[in-house]
Amino acid sequence: MKKTDKGMQHVVFQPTFGNRPDQYIGRDGVIEQFMTGLQEPVGSRNRCTLFLGQRGMGKTALLLELSDRAVKVDYVVARVTAHEGMAKAIIEQFQLNGSGFFKDDKRKETICFITIF
């Protein structure tokens, strides 16, 4: 409920700005497909996913969940937003998050999520 000049109204959109929900309802298939794609060889079309949707649909929250899952299976992830220095930010994130990659050989190929607002 939201108070307006006309009294209390139901508001469907409740922005959380990337905060994570307690559970992901109806996203099991997307999560499973993504995780299966990580097992595919480099160049496989199953390793590429595009997320589109209206504001508040959970794109950013889903990307955060997927990036955490990718890290758990030894991928290096860069979390950046679109801005003029984005390319530099991606490189810096990979250097920071991928430092363990150079110390041992347990990390796999790198993936990158870019959320554009």
Side-chain angles (χ1 to χ4, degrees):
M1 298 287 283
K2 182 178 179 181
K3 187 174 182 179
T4 67
D5 293 337
K6 298 177 184 178
M8 298 299 281
Q9 293 182 341
H10 289 282
V11 177
V12 176
F13 178 61
Q14 296 290 330
T16 60
F17 304 107
N19 292 327
R20 297 176 187 216
D22 294 332
Q23 56 184 324
Y24 292 89
I25 299 171
R27 302 286 193 226
D28 293 340
V30 173
I31 293 170
E32 183 179 328
Q33 183 179 6
F34 173 82
M35 296 305 293
T36 299
L38 292 182
Q39 298 171 14
E40 296 283 325
V42 174
S44 169
R45 63 185 324 150
N46 294 326
R47 289 182 59 127
C48 180
T49 305
L50 176 65
F51 295 95
L52 299 171
Q54 298 293 321
R55 67 180 189 157
M57 297 295 294
K59 298 177 299 296
T60 301
L62 183 58
L63 287 171
L64 291 170
E65 177 67 20
L66 295 175
S67 66
D68 281 353
R69 289 179 185 228
V71 167
K72 287 179 183 175
V73 292
D74 297 324
Y75 279 82
V76 177
V77 174
R79 294 179 180 162
V80 300
T81 57
H83 65 287
E84 188 174 324
M86 184 174 70
K88 182 179 179 184
I90 291 171
I91 292 168
E92 289 171 351
Q93 284 287 303
F94 282 139
Q95 289 172 335
L96 178 67
N97 298 336
S99 62
F101 177 77
F102 299 105
K103 294 178 184 171
D104 60 32
D105 207 18
K106 77 174 197 171
R107 296 272 177 184
K108 298 177 182 155
E109 297 88 7
T110 304
I111 59 172
C112 177
F113 297 115
I114 302 173
T115 303
I116 301 174
F117 294 91

